[in-house]
Amino acid sequence: MVGSTGLESRLDEAVEADLAEDRGRVGALLATLDVAGRRAGALHLHRRMCRVPEPVVARALTALSEQELGWTTEESDLLLARLLGMDAEVSPYELREEFLTLATLALTAAEQAEDFDRPRLRVLRGMAEDLHYFQSDAYAPLKRRLAALLAREPRIGADGLPRHVLDALDEYGPAMRAAHPELLAGRGAAAFLAHCLQVGQVRATKAWRRRASALLAETEAGSELVRRLLEGIAAQPEHKYTDLNPWGMSGWGVAGDTNTCLVRGLLWAALDLDADWAAPLIGAVAINAGTGVGGSGGYCRNQPLTTSAVAVLGEFDGPHGEQAVQWLGRVKRAVKNRTVLKGLAKAVEAVSGRAGLTPSMLRERGVPDHGLDPRGVREEPLGAYTAVLSAQSPGVAALAFQGPQGKALKSAPKALREEHARPLKELRGSLKELKSLLAGERARLEEHLAAGTTWAAEDWERYYVDHPVTGAVTRALLWEVTAADSDDGHWTAGLPERTGGGWALAGADGTARPVGPGGRLRLWHPLRAEADEVAEWRDELTARELRQPFKQVFREVYPLTPAEVTTGTYSNRFAGHILRYGQARSLMAERGWTGNHLGYFSEGYSSEMVKELPRPGELPLCEGVFWRARFFVELVDEGAASNGVAVLCSTDQVRIERRAASAGPRGAWELAALAEAPALVLSEALRDVDLFTGVASIGADPDWEDRGVDRAYGAYWQSYAFGELSASGRVRRESLARLLPRTRIADRVELTDRFLRVRGDRGTYKIHLGSGNILMEPNDAYLCIVPKQGAGGSRGDKVFLPFEEDGGLLSVILSKAFLLADDAGITDRTITAQLRTGR
């Protein structure tokens, strides 16, 4: 910059001489320079002091800060960039008082320049406030000068915008300026967008929103401006941006600090536009900002944007409220950030509360149909071919193709892929969305099953059984109906069946109960049924080969035990198990349990996993009691993963807590006696814990025994691997009793109390129904087999399963049974070696 004049060398020599013997050489040299030379000297000394604090240089900079030097915008920007952002060369927390000198010169340059870097000055003001509070009153004058400078009217550029609006600190700002020059240059756009920049928190104030509405009304094409800028951030890829901080760090995400504030303002402004596009677009912003590369939920590309978008969705009302809840559901499936999910729960409660419905019931009113007809089918002509997108029972999305004569094709032919690539890509995107939607509907209906929700017949028909998407799940489930004029509360169970006059529930005995006007429906739960009825329906589903979207008819139940009556407020039913922590933690998160991580870090030695349970009874509820379960787990000292997270954990008590709905969302939770909890609440909580234990226990790991019988927890492994069955194991045994007689190995298998006994040509084997582990008769030698997934043997046998079991142990047991029944055909050397030595 000025090195060619030799000024920098002369200044350095003067500084070194003054450091040896201070005779004011630096000041004397600066006094000989013209205005441009003094600016150049100030820039050099400023950089030198960023690297090494020197009193001689500090005095010179202080003197220069008091002079009118005619600073340019570029020079002002350079001084600020040295203090803040990726180019930062100094930390205020290292230089302390010296930083005040550096910041003062940068502020003087900004005051004298034609324009200044407003975003960096805002950050500098926040830092000055912190430093004033924690370190020195000397920062008070700097704070006042910064406030006065930031209060100035911004300079409008040739494009009609101040440069701090849609700034160039990230890729989003320049992209929007290039894409929408006419909208941004329109009347009122600059003032409105500058107002949007004031939203630095999750929520905008009422006063801000009133002013935003007034400014937007005066803005040319204001609604279109908001829409286009939000579309831009919804599609903005992740990138490296300038993070305004004193540590020289960069940021990764979809927008930098300043544009994040601007988009937050746009989100709140969109709420008040009452536009059909607003809720879907805000939802898209939340998902793009709230997920990682490729749409993964591992981290947020921009958490502030995501939390604001979620909060805005929570403010929608009326028909747009239904859209908002639908998008909140999509956000919940896509985003895993705990802060976002807490805000999301509040948003859903807010929207549903205004509608007088539960969150789940409101979501049912906004489930999209993806263009499917009442059969759950959407046909798209693609030249001579037809693509068929469908939602099929029990909740499966499919994309199939037909040839010119309607012949079914195995896949999209080459001609279709080449000539219709774009619509084919869009269809595959719709298939992905439909799969996600069906997964959400399955989860939502399972929540209703656990809550005992009831619906009016009209709502059940409209939003469930007749819906082209939700109906694919609904029609594979067992329902109960009661008449509107029923005095005895009698419910009749059946499977949905369309009749000439509407819908009926078909009973296992061949009768059909019409679903009449005014009737009420709920999902059948085995906890409310007699044993004979449960057995009858399990036989019926097996005979029909009707696969359910989740365990309903074969669902495990967990009534209160005498031991739990004695303990009163806690259950030890699943205490004392050793689980693989990573697998258990994933299952807990999937089932809605939250709590701190276990590991070798602060507070990582124990955890209380908590899940708020669906409220029982008729919904919507405005009053009543909330219930939640608390499950205690502890770290087991067995080493840790590279990030310090536990490898194993042990299980302890399960407790139930309650809170009056009138206490509000921040009301205190109270420990409840297990006997006071509704039967469904207790049963569903214990069912989750049984799942964690059954799937993640080391006793279900067939490789564990190979690590050595003398290792720690070997006794536990033996007791679990071949011990008494839990409720899930007993249901598995009952399912096998129905399924095995229908298979080709029926004459080679028999069920005992804990085992499936299989007779092969080379030996007889016992497969434990709780763990899937195998013993060989007559010595009970352990046989380790890690099978391929799927219910089938070496000959490709496929067995109908009435439900998709978490962990897939039922299919694993069947696979092992088919393999061992044909043990003469086993060629795997790791297995045949065990068969030879294990006898």
Side-chain angles (χ1 to χ4, degrees), residues 450-600:
T453 311
T454 65
W455 290 266
E458 295 76 11
D459 288 343
W460 178 78
E461 290 182 356
R462 179 179 178 183
Y463 300 118
Y464 284 85
V465 74
D466 277 333
H467 194 282
V469 176
T470 311
V473 183
T474 301
R475 292 188 290 271
L477 294 169
L478 186 60
W479 295 81
E480 291 182 298
V481 63
T482 186
D485 56 356
S486 174
D487 295 327
D488 58 1
H490 178 70
W491 294 81
T492 303
L495 294 163
E497 182 179 86
R498 185 179 290 279
T499 64
W503 285 95
L505 296 185
D509 59 359
T511 62
R513 169 75 178 271
V515 177
R520 300 203 56 86
L521 291 102
R522 69 183 182 189
L523 282 160
W524 179 93
H525 196 294
L527 191 67
R528 293 190 298 259
E530 297 293 335
D532 290 345
E533 182 185 1
V534 174
E536 183 179 30
W537 278 113
R538 289 177 178 176
D539 288 339
E540 181 69 13
L541 259 65
T542 303
R544 290 192 186 197
E545 293 197 353
L546 176 60
R547 185 176 175 85
Q548 294 199 290
F550 53 80
K551 266 191 180 181
Q552 182 199 19
V553 171
F554 284 86
R555 199 173 191 82
E556 305 88 350
V557 296
Y558 302 81
L560 194 68
T561 65
E564 289 162 344
V565 173
T566 300
T567 56
T569 58
Y570 63 90
S571 169
N572 276 331
R573 197 184 305 200
F574 298 104
H577 289 278
I578 308 297
L579 312 184
R580 296 182 296 273
Y581 178 66
Q583 188 176 19
R585 177 79 192 192
S586 296
L587 286 169
M588 292 173 190
E590 185 180 317
R591 299 293 296 178
W593 294 73
T594 60
N596 65 286
H597 284 271
L598 292 179
Y600 294 85

Side-chain angles (χ1 to χ4, degrees), residues 163-185:
R163 67 174 182 144
H164 70 286
V165 173
L166 292 171
D167 63 33
L169 296 176
D170 57 25
E171 294 180 3
Y172 170 71
M176 292 300 97
R177 283 178 176 250
H180 309 296
E182 294 182 1
L183 282 173
L184 294 172

Side-chain angles (χ1 to χ4, degrees), residues 378-414:
R378 170 179 149 197
E379 296 183 349
E380 291 283 347
L382 299 175
Y385 301 93
T386 302
V388 182
L389 179 68
S390 63
Q392 305 169 0
S393 182
V396 178
L399 179 61
F401 301 93
Q402 296 176 356
Q405 285 77 40
K407 181 181 179 181
L409 305 175
K410 291 183 179 181
S411 61
K414 182 179 180 181

Side-chain angles (χ1 to χ4, degrees), residues 372-379 391 468 475:
L372 305 182
D373 63 21
R375 301 170 300 155
V377 175
R378 170 179 149 197
E379 296 183 349
R475 292 188 290 271

Side-chain angles (χ1 to χ4, degrees), residues 415-430:
L416 192 153
R417 296 195 305 270
E418 292 177 348
E419 297 173 14
H420 303 279
R422 183 164 185 172
L424 187 57
K425 181 179 179 181
E426 292 175 353
L427 275 168
R428 285 172 172 157
S430 296

